[in-house]
Amino acid sequence: MPLLRNILVTGGAGFIGQNFVHHLLSQPDAPRIVVLDALTYAANPCSLEPLIQSGRIEFIKGDITDLAALEALFAAQGFDSVAHLAAESHVDRSILGPDAFIQTNVVGTYNLLKCALADWNRRKILDTARFLHVSTDEVFGDLTPQEPAFVENSPYKPSSPYSASKAGGDHLVRAFIRTYGLPGLITNCSNNYGPYQHPEKLIPLMIIHALQGKPMPIYGDGLNVRDWLFVGDHCHALLEVLRRGQVGQTYNVGGGAERTNRDVVSEICRIIDARFASDVAMGSRFPASPAAKGKSSASLITPVSDRPGHDRRYAINGGFLKQALGVEPREDFQSGLRKTVNWYMENPAWWQRALSGDFGLWMERNYGSREAAAKP
C-alpha cells in the first residue's frame, strides 16, 4: 500500500493543482503537502496563501526544469509520493511559442522522474512510493462525430505542440515504469472547468467577458466538441488513483458531458442572465454587462477565424476507472457550470489579479489579428 504521508504537488498554484491541494487537506488523513510552483503567468496562489501562513502546506517557488534544485529538494524533504501537475497547458500559447512547452512538459517531467527514482531507490521505498503523472486527452488527437470515445489504449495522435509535449511526458513515465521499476501511474483527463481557472481558458474567458461587456470570441463555427469535467470530480479521481490505483496503469478521467463550444457559451449566457435577473446587486457590480441592462449576454458572442490544427472532438470513456476504482463524476455539467459561473461572479478580485501582467498583450496577439467569422 502507498504511504501518502509526505507528498510533493508540482504546479500546485495552478488551476487543477490548487484545487487538488484543497481536496487533499479536506481528507481526515491529510498528508504533509509541499507545493512546488514556478509562479508563471498561469499561477494565482491567492487560495493557497492562508494555507501557507497557517503552516498547513509548505510552498516552494521553483522550476522543474532546474535539475539541481529538484535534486536538493528531494534530498531534503523525504517525499513518499509525487502528484505531477506542473505543465504548460494552453494550446494557443503552444502554437505561438512552443519552446516553453517542450522544456516544462518534457524536460521538466524527465527531471522529476530522475530525481524521484534516485531518491526512492536510495531510501528503498519503491514498493510504497507513488508517482502520479497528470496528463490530457489531447494526446489522443481528435475524433469524428461517429467514433467511440478514447479509452486507455487509444493510439497517440497529438495535433499541437502542447499535446505533443504532454505525449512526450507520458511516454517518459511509461519508460521509467517499465525500465527502472518506477511506481508510476498516469491519468488522462478531459477538459476541466471550475474555480481558480486562468482566464485564458474558454469557460472563464467567456464568463469574464460577459461580465465586462466584451466580445465573447468563439473559434470557427463553434461546433468543436469537448468532454467537460468539473475540477472537483477530477481531484477526487486523482486522489483515488494515488491511493488505490495499480502501478503502471493508465486511467482516463472524463466528465461524461460532451458539448459543442457554442452550446457551452450559450449555457454560460443563460446562467449569467438568470443570476442578474434574480440578484439586483449584480447590476451595480458589473455595470458593463448586457445582463445588467436586462439584455442577453449572448449578444456578445463573436465568431472569429479558427486556430491552426483545431481538433474537432474529444471524448473520454471513463468506464475503466469506474470499474477498477468505483470512481465516476458526481457533478453533471449543468450543476458544475452553475457553481463555476457563480464563483467567478462572486470572486472578481481573484480574476482581476489574473488579468494583470501580460494577459492583455497575449489576448491581442492571439485574437486581435483574427478575422471576424460569419455568425452561424
Side-chain angles (χ1 to χ4, degrees):
M1 291 292 291
L3 290 172
L4 298 187
R5 295 172 186 163
N6 188 12
I7 185 169
L8 171 65
V9 180
T10 69
F15 165 45
I16 301 173
Q18 57 190 294
N19 276 283
F20 184 61
V21 168
H22 283 282
H23 184 69
L24 283 172
L25 289 174
S26 72
Q27 306 303 304
D29 56 348
R32 175 177 179 265
I33 301 169
V34 175
V35 169
L36 177 68
D37 200 290
L39 295 182
T40 66
Y41 77 93
N44 192 335
C46 292
S47 76
L48 298 182
E49 288 171 357
L51 306 178
I52 297 167
Q53 293 168 3
S54 67
R56 297 193 70 194
I57 67 171
E58 180 178 353
F59 180 86
I60 298 172
K61 182 181 179 181
D63 195 323
I64 59 173
T65 64
D66 186 341
L67 179 59
L70 276 183
E71 289 173 335
L73 181 64
F74 273 82
Q77 294 284 354
F79 301 119
D80 57 52
S81 49
V82 173
H84 177 30
L85 295 104
E88 296 285 347
S89 65
H90 195 238
V91 173
D92 291 334
R93 285 184 186 258
S94 82
I95 293 170
L96 294 171
D99 290 10
F101 290 74
I102 303 304
Q103 286 300 310
T104 298
N105 300 349
V106 180
V107 177
T109 298
Y110 170 70
N111 288 345
L112 273 172
L113 292 166
K114 186 177 177 180
C115 291
L117 181 69
D119 183 64
W120 294 342
N121 269 324
R122 179 180 59 83
R123 293 162 54 207
K124 297 181 172 57
I125 63 167
L126 279 182
D127 288 345
T128 54
R130 291 293 183 268
F131 188 108
L132 174 61
H133 175 64
V134 180
S135 190
T136 172
D137 58 357
E138 296 193 37
V139 298
F140 302 125
D142 63 356
L143 297 166
T144 66
Q146 294 76 33
E147 287 182 290
F150 300 129
V151 292
E152 281 71 11
N153 62 354
S154 291
Y156 275 38
K157 297 184 297 181
S159 302
S160 68
Y162 161 59
S163 55
S165 68
K166 288 299 291 184
D170 292 8
H171 291 319
L172 282 170
V173 175
R174 289 196 180 91
F176 268 68
I177 292 169
R178 180 160 182 173
T179 304
Y180 304 114
L182 179 90
L185 308 104
I186 298 173
T187 56
N188 293 93
C189 69
S190 57
N191 279 37
N192 278 225
Y193 68 99
Y196 308 117
Q197 189 170 27
H198 192 274
E200 69 186 1
K201 302 291 187 174
L202 176 70
I203 287 178
L205 180 66
M206 297 299 108
I207 297 169
I208 291 168
H209 276 210
L211 297 177
Q212 295 179 325
K214 294 182 177 180
M216 302 167 71
I218 301 182
Y219 288 132
D221 60 10
L223 298 181
N224 300 77
V225 174
R226 299 294 181 263
D227 173 31
W228 292 96
L229 171 65
F230 187 65
V231 68
D233 286 335
H234 187 198
C235 292
H236 171 68
L238 294 180
L239 183 54
E240 292 307 302
V241 169
L242 260 175
R243 282 173 166 166
R244 301 188 287 120
Q246 180 181 344
V247 167
Q249 182 63 56
T250 295
Y251 297 90
N252 280 354
V253 188
E258 287 189 58
R259 298 290 190 282
T260 68
N261 289 345
R262 187 194 299 172
D263 287 341
V264 170
V265 177
S266 295
E267 184 62 24
I268 288 170
C269 291
R270 284 191 288 271
I271 294 171
I272 288 175
D273 292 349
R275 179 71 187 272
F276 271 87
S278 64
D279 187 346
V280 294
M282 281 295 154
S284 59
R285 294 180 68 184
F286 305 105
S289 173
K293 307 171 184 66
K295 300 178 181 179
S296 172
S297 300
S299 62
L300 297 171
I301 295 175
T302 306
V304 296
S305 58
D306 213 348
R307 72 183 179 205
H310 196 179
D311 288 337
R312 195 62 171 169
R313 173 178 169 246
Y314 304 143
I316 281 282
N317 183 335
F320 177 71
L321 179 64
K322 180 179 179 181
Q323 175 187 353
L325 302 179
V327 175
E328 60 184 328
R330 296 171 292 185
E331 295 283 351
D332 61 33
F333 184 67
Q334 286 72 24
S335 65
L337 191 61
R338 279 195 300 274
K339 289 181 178 180
T340 302
V341 172
N342 287 335
W343 188 88
Y344 280 90
M345 294 181 77
E346 292 161 8
N347 292 276
W350 185 93
W351 51 259
Q352 285 165 357
R353 176 173 171 177
L355 292 175
S356 63
D358 77 336
F359 184 72
L361 296 175
W362 178 83
M363 283 291 294
E364 176 60 28
R365 186 181 176 199
N366 187 61
Y367 289 104
S369 62
R370 293 187 187 277
E371 298 177 357
K375 286 186 179 283

